[in-house]
Amino acid sequence: MLPPRATRLPEPLLYAVVRGSARIIADGDRHLIQSGTALWAPAGATVEVRASSEAIVIPVPAASTGPVRPAIVRVDPAHLPGLLHEFSRALGHLDAAHEDAAPSEPGVRVRTATRSRAGHGLSAPPAPASPELQDLAEMLADDPHLDLASAVEAAVTGWSVRTAQRRFAAETGLTLSAWVRRARAWTAAELLAEGRDIEWVAHRVGYHSSAAFVRGFAEVVGTTPGRWRRSPDAEEPAAELVVSSAWRRRTHRTWARVNGGHVAVWVAVGSAAIAVGGRELRLRAGEAVVLPAGVRNDIGIEPGSLLLPVGFRSGRTGAIGAPLAPAQVGGIDSWHMVSAMLAAYTGTGGGGADPSRGFDAVLRGSTRADVGDDDTGLAALASLIALEPHLTIEEAGRRLGRGERDLRRIVRERSGETPAAWSRMVRMTRARNRLGLGETATEVSRELGYAHLPAFSRAFRAVHGTAPASVGCRAPSALLPARSAQRVLAPHER
């Protein structure tokens, strides 16, 4: 995610410096980014990051709209939870299929604000007061091609379109259609100020033709897009960072998985409920645990809460018991945990911190169940099958120096699953990770040793309850840079 060498970004990325400083070379121009600022790098930019030893740099996927050239923006301290949420979302551990109302693009964007827009026939559409209608407005603004009925169903479940329209008008003074027209014009003005082509802007804000866009823009603004852009009052653009707060109003969860490695997770804000190894724990802000390799885990994250992975260790290194009591490591203002997470998952974003520091701190401070030789065997088996998913338990046993019958007993006793169901869960955990990195279902099916795609799809659906196509990169153009340009977890370490 923070490439040590010059890397051409396929899609936009924001480099937010929250501590120290970093020198970032973007398209040949050198930028010194100090704490409290960020560099926006658009799609196609060639970027090289050189962070100081104490720097904390958070690389965050950004929405596809924004300035056409690299730009520096201010980062407010209130932006930090949202930036970390988007970073976490890019790692792929949240269940996007569960989040029906989640936006298809990241909740971070950089917009070009033109100082004179309000005085030149433009004003931002008024925001609704209620959280439900705020979600609806945000969805309609983010995805202009989304039809109203689908948006209402996703944002305010149980409401009819008529009810939504009536309440929206009461809170904003505008009908939904009038609000959408004004929002389209407001967004179009940002894109025009960035120098975007009128035909491109028309499509981006939801019009099917340039002529329809010109008419719609003129109805709201009082002049055509071309005349508005040429006006002397519409010069002097300034970039600003916008971080959505919609994630705070939603319940998030991870998808059920059996990791091939031990993973440390930390509640930075709020609370989370964790089920692992037949036990349930409720973690509060500042608490962290290690999820053992080979053991199924499920995590529910309360609205407004933030759970982050902070490190990992291969299951081949030995067994770790199911958590009994969490480590106390501090909340979101604990910079040592933020830097440890970035060191583990980006390679260069954590101020020179040891990549294992976060994991070690959680392991050292938490209380865990006792482990024995069977637990060691389960962790090693999970790691090996995650790394080489085509192996049978018999073949894995020969590699590990254990008998097949012994391994099958261990799986049944330690996981509570049949060996076939457990092995399928390990493989489908890897499959979902690979789909999240942008691989196609066909590629993943072949990698896991399936002779036919339908057989893989049936196995995937049996574990995850949905088809592979529904949980791949929902917005590959937005999330792929954050997953592929970083040093993501190796398959055997997940």
Side-chain angles (χ1 to χ4, degrees):
M1 194 180 285
L2 287 179
R5 294 187 294 272
T7 300
R8 189 175 188 273
L9 300 178
E11 296 293 341
L13 211 57
L14 182 80
Y15 299 90
V17 179
V18 297
R19 191 175 184 184
S21 63
R23 294 187 180 276
I24 303 178
I25 304 172
D27 288 340
D29 294 330
R30 297 174 180 270
H31 305 271
L32 177 61
I33 310 301
Q34 301 283 6
S35 177
T37 56
L39 180 76
W40 151 270
T46 299
V47 177
E48 181 179 352
V49 180
R50 300 174 181 174
S52 62
S53 59
E54 76 284 0
I56 296 179
V57 185
I58 307 173
V60 185
S64 56
T65 58
V68 294
R69 291 178 294 276
I72 297 175
V73 296
R74 186 175 67 86
V75 178
D76 189 275
H79 289 148
L80 180 60
L83 293 174
L84 289 174
H85 170 76
E86 289 298 324
F87 175 87
S88 174
R89 183 181 175 216
L91 292 178
H93 73 283
L94 294 178
D95 187 358
H98 170 78
E99 301 174 39
D100 295 331
S104 58
E105 282 205 322
V108 171
R109 63 190 180 99
V110 172
R111 68 184 182 191
T112 301
T114 304
R115 289 200 300 247
S116 62
R117 281 190 304 186
H120 195 65
L122 270 178
S123 60
S130 64
E132 298 88 354
L133 292 180
Q134 287 174 15
D135 278 353
L136 176 60
E138 191 167 291
M139 291 185 71
L140 291 170
D142 285 347
D143 188 352
H145 298 283
L146 185 66
D147 67 274
L148 180 57
S150 298
V152 169
E153 183 180 0
V156 285
T157 304
W159 289 19
S160 67
V161 172
R162 186 173 181 179
T163 297
Q165 289 174 324
R166 177 169 49 80
R167 296 192 181 186
F168 198 93
E171 292 189 17
T172 66
L174 294 174
T175 65
L176 269 167
S177 57
W179 190 94
V180 169
R181 284 195 299 271
R182 187 182 292 186
R184 283 178 166 184
W186 182 257
T187 302
E190 294 176 353
L191 300 175
L192 291 167
E194 293 166 7
R196 304 282 187 175
D197 177 75
I198 287 179
E199 185 175 355
W200 186 92
V201 173
H203 177 74
R204 181 63 182 81
V205 299
Y207 288 93
H208 295 294
S209 69
S210 298
F213 166 58
V214 170
R215 287 194 301 272
F217 188 91
E219 287 176 4
V220 175
V221 182
T223 188
T224 66
R227 289 173 181 167
W228 184 89
R229 180 156 56 185
R230 290 192 297 270
S231 168
D233 294 331
E235 297 173 357
E236 301 299 331
E240 61 181 333
L241 177 62
V242 179
V243 180
S244 171
S245 62
W247 66 275
R248 293 181 179 274
R249 300 189 289 274
R250 301 186 182 113
T251 298
H252 301 274
R253 66 178 308 104
T254 61
W255 40 274
R257 64 175 73 200
V258 173
N259 294 316
H262 311 295
V263 180
V265 295
W266 165 50
V267 177
V269 177
S271 62
I274 296 180
V276 57
R279 297 178 174 87
E280 292 190 6
L281 288 175
R282 178 165 289 277
L283 302 187
R284 303 196 180 280
E287 297 180 337
V289 297
V290 174
L291 306 175
V295 180
R296 175 174 173 144
N297 62 82
D298 299 88
I299 304 176
I301 306 167
E302 297 295 322
S305 300
L306 186 61
L307 178 136
L308 301 166
V310 292
F312 52 90
R313 181 182 294 176
S314 171
R316 301 290 292 275
T317 61
I320 292 178
L324 301 176
Q328 305 293 327
V329 295
I332 195 171
D333 55 349
S334 300
W335 290 118
H336 68 284
M337 291 304 292
V338 176
S339 65
M341 175 191 69
L342 293 167
Y345 290 93
T346 71
T348 58
D354 181 349
S356 64
R357 187 176 75 177
F359 184 95
D360 292 344
V362 177
L363 187 66
R364 186 169 55 248
S366 60
T367 303
R368 301 167 306 283
D370 293 335
V371 296
D373 183 63
D374 285 357
D375 301 288
T376 300
L378 184 70
L381 179 63
S383 181
L384 183 58
I385 290 182
L387 177 63
E388 300 181 56
H390 60 277
L391 292 178
T392 65
I393 290 182
E394 180 184 6
E395 292 167 335
R398 286 198 293 267
R399 298 275 289 275
L400 297 172
R402 291 175 177 263
E404 178 187 4
R405 181 175 298 180
D406 187 42
L407 285 178
R408 289 183 177 277
R409 175 190 61 79
I410 289 172
V411 169
R412 283 192 298 270
E413 293 179 358
R414 287 292 182 264
S415 73
E417 302 273 1
T418 66
W422 180 86
S423 298
R424 184 171 58 198
M425 176 70 86
V426 175
R427 293 184 175 96
M428 292 306 113
T429 296
R430 177 190 172 106
R432 192 152 181 171
N433 286 328
R434 303 314 296 177
L435 289 167
L437 287 169
E439 292 185 16
T440 67
T442 299
E443 291 170 333
V444 175
S445 173
R446 188 180 304 117
E447 181 183 345
L448 267 62
Y450 284 88
H452 304 288
L453 181 59
F456 165 66
S457 297
R458 285 193 298 272
F460 191 93
R461 187 181 292 276
V463 170
H464 297 300
T466 188
S470 68
V471 297
C473 282
R474 295 186 70 192
S477 62
L479 297 184
L480 191 54
R483 295 170 177 173
S484 62
Q486 65 174 325
R487 185 179 64 82
V488 297
L489 291 176
H492 64 289
E493 296 169 322
R494 287 187 179 270

